[in-house]
Amino acid sequence: MVKIYRIWFNTERMDREDHYRITLFSRPRVSIHVDEYIWSFIEENIVKPHKLMRSEKHGYLLNISFDQFDPAKHRYFPLSPYNGPLREGVEMESSKSSYFREDFADAEERTTWFSPNKIWTNCGDKVLNVDVKAANVSENITPREYADLLFDGIGAALVFNFKRLKREEFDGLKPKIDWGIVESFPFPAPFEEQRYIGDGGKIHVYSWDGRQKKTLVGPYSVRELYLEHFGES
């Protein structure tokens, strides 16, 4: 059994002067059921046939993190078939876990990047991080665009962790996605159907000024603030 956790940071620090902005409203408004379908599709066609992620001692978490690609902020990426080869003249080094974005071929034209890392253990669960940065990540991304990125993000994470897997196997499977299922869920999805971590909490950013707690943003109820901005879907 794999649990799916969607991660989105609701605030972002703008500078060193403790200025923050709320980023809640720019998250993908796609149903969690799209994630569940894409994962089950990959699980049935690749994970189970290869007998991967079958530990009886551990549960598994799929941490899905999307972010809008920002060339000023996203500077480093690991080697991955999904990030393409290094440019001519840049040598691979066994001691390096990541490279400057400019070290990759065609880096200037690329607006989609992946940051896979090793499966890690948290409170007895094995955690597979799916980290996607793309220019089209926003509140307007469609379920089809989202699913396309998610499929490659999961592929990048699994290929990074299991050497028997190759990108070509995922690329061969991708055309078999049932886009009718992906597009059958309501869009924009209702707030309750998006299910991001922290949706039941508050947005509250503060700093300490001497012994005084200084509120910078909030506190706001995530749900109430979201519905105030977008209304009921």
Side-chain angles (χ1 to χ4, degrees), residues 9 55 64 71 86 142 190 193 214:
F9 295 106
S55 173
I64 297 173
L86 297 175
T142 67
E193 199 170 305
K214 178 182 178 182

Side-chain angles (χ1 to χ4, degrees), residues 5 55 57-63 117-129 161:
Y5 284 177
S55 173
K57 297 181 179 179
H58 303 279
Y60 288 90
L61 303 180
L62 193 65
N63 279 355
N117 56 26
K118 289 294 184 182
I119 290 178
W120 55 289
T121 303
N122 180 34
C123 298
D125 290 320
K126 295 289 187 180
V127 183
L128 180 68
N129 288 335
N161 279 280

Side-chain angles (χ1 to χ4, degrees), residues 49-195:
H50 281 282
K51 299 181 179 180
L52 306 175
M53 301 172 64
R54 299 179 63 190
S55 173
E56 296 181 358
K57 297 181 179 179
H58 303 279
Y60 288 90
L61 303 180
L62 193 65
N63 279 355
I64 297 173
S65 176
F66 275 49
D67 199 1
Q68 187 172 61
F69 171 61
D70 182 347
K73 182 171 64 174
H74 303 135
R75 300 287 311 282
Y76 309 94
F77 294 95
L79 284 177
S80 166
Y82 287 83
N83 288 332
L86 297 175
R87 63 180 173 81
E88 187 176 353
V90 178
E91 295 185 3
M92 287 189 294
E93 300 179 32
S94 58
S95 60
K96 294 181 71 171
S97 60
S98 60
Y99 293 79
F100 284 110
R101 192 181 67 251
E102 294 81 5
D103 288 340
F104 291 88
D106 303 321
E108 292 185 3
E109 292 79 26
R110 295 186 59 121
T111 58
T112 299
W113 296 86
F114 303 91
S115 296
N117 56 26
K118 289 294 184 182
I119 290 178
W120 55 289
T121 303
N122 180 34
C123 298
D125 290 320
K126 295 289 187 180
V127 183
L128 180 68
N129 288 335
V130 176
D131 191 336
V132 180
K133 296 170 176 62
N136 63 336
V137 173
S138 75
E139 71 276 17
N140 297 315
I141 191 172
T142 67
R144 186 170 184 132
E145 292 171 329
Y146 178 94
D148 184 89
L149 288 174
L150 179 60
F151 183 93
D152 286 346
I154 295 174
L158 290 173
V159 168
F160 189 85
N161 279 280
F162 302 103
K163 300 308 179 185
R164 76 184 78 168
L165 298 181
K166 305 299 178 185
R167 176 173 180 172
E168 289 75 16
E169 185 173 0
F170 287 88
D171 288 347
L173 179 64
K174 194 173 187 180
K176 299 177 183 178
I177 293 173
D178 189 332
W179 296 110
I181 293 178
V182 170
E183 295 174 336
S184 69
F185 305 111
F187 177 75
F191 178 82
E192 285 74 16
E193 199 170 305
Q194 295 176 28
R195 299 187 203 168

Side-chain angles (χ1 to χ4, degrees), residues 24-25 191-192 199-203 219-231:
L24 165 67
F25 309 126
F191 178 82
E192 285 74 16
D199 275 0
K202 294 182 180 296
I203 295 174
Y220 305 114
S221 161
V222 174
R223 182 182 186 277
E224 291 176 359
L225 192 61
Y226 182 94
L227 294 179
E228 181 181 324
H229 185 85
F230 286 118

